[in-house]
Amino acid sequence: MDLSFRFCYDPEGEYFTVLSSFVAIYGDSDGKYCLCHFDYERDKADGYPEAHIQVYGESPVLRMWGGELLGRGLHRLHFPSGHRRFRWCLEDVIEFLVIEGIVPGKPGWQRAIEPGRRRFHETQLRAAIRRDMTTAIGYLEEVGYQVVRRDDRVRLPRQRRP
C-alpha cells in the first residue's frame, strides 16, 4: 500500500483540510504492479471527478468497444467515488482489503476502524453544512425544529430580584 496526503487551509483560512490524497494497492513491494488506487484532488483541473478510483487490469468490454478507450486502458478510467464531502476514506480502503480477502483482518478490525470513519463522516457533514446552511436549516425546520441565529435572539432585560 502506498499512501500520500497533502493538506491546506480552507479558503477562509479557518479549517485544516485535505488538498489531495492517494491510496494505492500494489501486488508487490516495489510498487510495480498496481491493483487500484483511490484518489482525491480538491478542485481537480482536468475535468475528472475530484474523488475517484482507478483500476488496473484487462476489460473484455473495452476490447469490444475498442477505439480510444481501449488505447487508454482500464487504469485510465476515473470511476467517481462520491463528492468532495462524501468520498471514500482510508477506513473504507482497509475494509475493502479485508472483505475481499486481500489481507487478513485481525479480530476486532471492524471495531477498530469505525471511530476513524465516524470522525471523518462527522467532519465532512459539518463542512457540508457550513457550505449549505440553507439546506441544513430547511431540513431541521421540516422535521420540527426552530432555528434561530444566536445574534438574532430576542434578549429580554434581566429582572432584578427584590
Side-chain angles (χ1 to χ4, degrees):
M1 182 184 283
D2 184 15
L3 304 166
S4 171
F5 288 81
R6 292 178 38 217
F7 300 92
C8 66
Y9 281 98
D10 68 352
E12 294 79 21
E14 189 173 345
Y15 294 96
F16 201 51
T17 187
V18 175
L19 178 61
S20 66
S21 58
F22 173 84
V23 179
I25 310 302
Y26 292 98
D28 63 319
S29 59
D30 296 330
K32 187 175 177 183
Y33 300 102
C34 189
L35 172 66
C36 63
H37 53 89
F38 299 76
D39 298 322
Y40 170 71
E41 183 180 340
R42 179 178 289 272
D43 299 321
K44 193 160 177 57
D46 58 10
Y48 290 113
E50 288 183 327
H52 61 271
I53 300 169
Q54 290 175 253
V55 179
Y56 289 70
E58 298 294 319
S59 169
V61 173
L62 289 185
R63 282 197 300 278
M64 181 176 68
W65 287 347
E68 182 185 329
L69 283 175
L70 180 59
R72 283 176 42 205
L74 184 61
H75 68 284
R76 298 299 305 249
L77 299 181
H78 298 70
F79 295 93
S81 59
H83 177 264
R84 173 182 292 185
R85 298 285 170 238
F86 305 105
R87 65 186 187 269
W88 58 269
C89 62
L90 183 57
E91 289 80 0
D92 295 329
V93 178
I94 293 167
E95 180 180 49
F96 161 73
L97 291 171
V98 176
I99 294 293
E100 294 298 339
I102 296 169
V103 299
K106 292 183 178 180
W109 71 268
Q110 291 152 314
R111 282 189 315 280
I113 66 171
E114 276 314 304
R117 187 180 351 230
R118 192 174 319 106
R119 276 192 309 275
F120 177 78
H121 289 163
E122 288 171 2
T123 300
Q124 294 306 314
L125 181 56
R126 287 172 164 274
I129 289 169
R130 271 196 320 275
R131 297 291 181 219
D132 188 2
M133 286 202 194
T134 302
T135 299
I137 291 168
Y139 177 74
L140 289 170
E141 290 176 341
E142 185 180 306
V143 296
Y145 288 87
Q146 180 181 13
V147 179
V148 179
R149 188 179 175 100
R150 184 177 304 143
D151 297 341
D152 296 340
R153 287 188 290 195
V154 175
R155 298 189 193 274
L156 298 174
R158 287 187 164 185
Q159 293 185 354
R160 295 181 189 252
R161 289 187 171 169

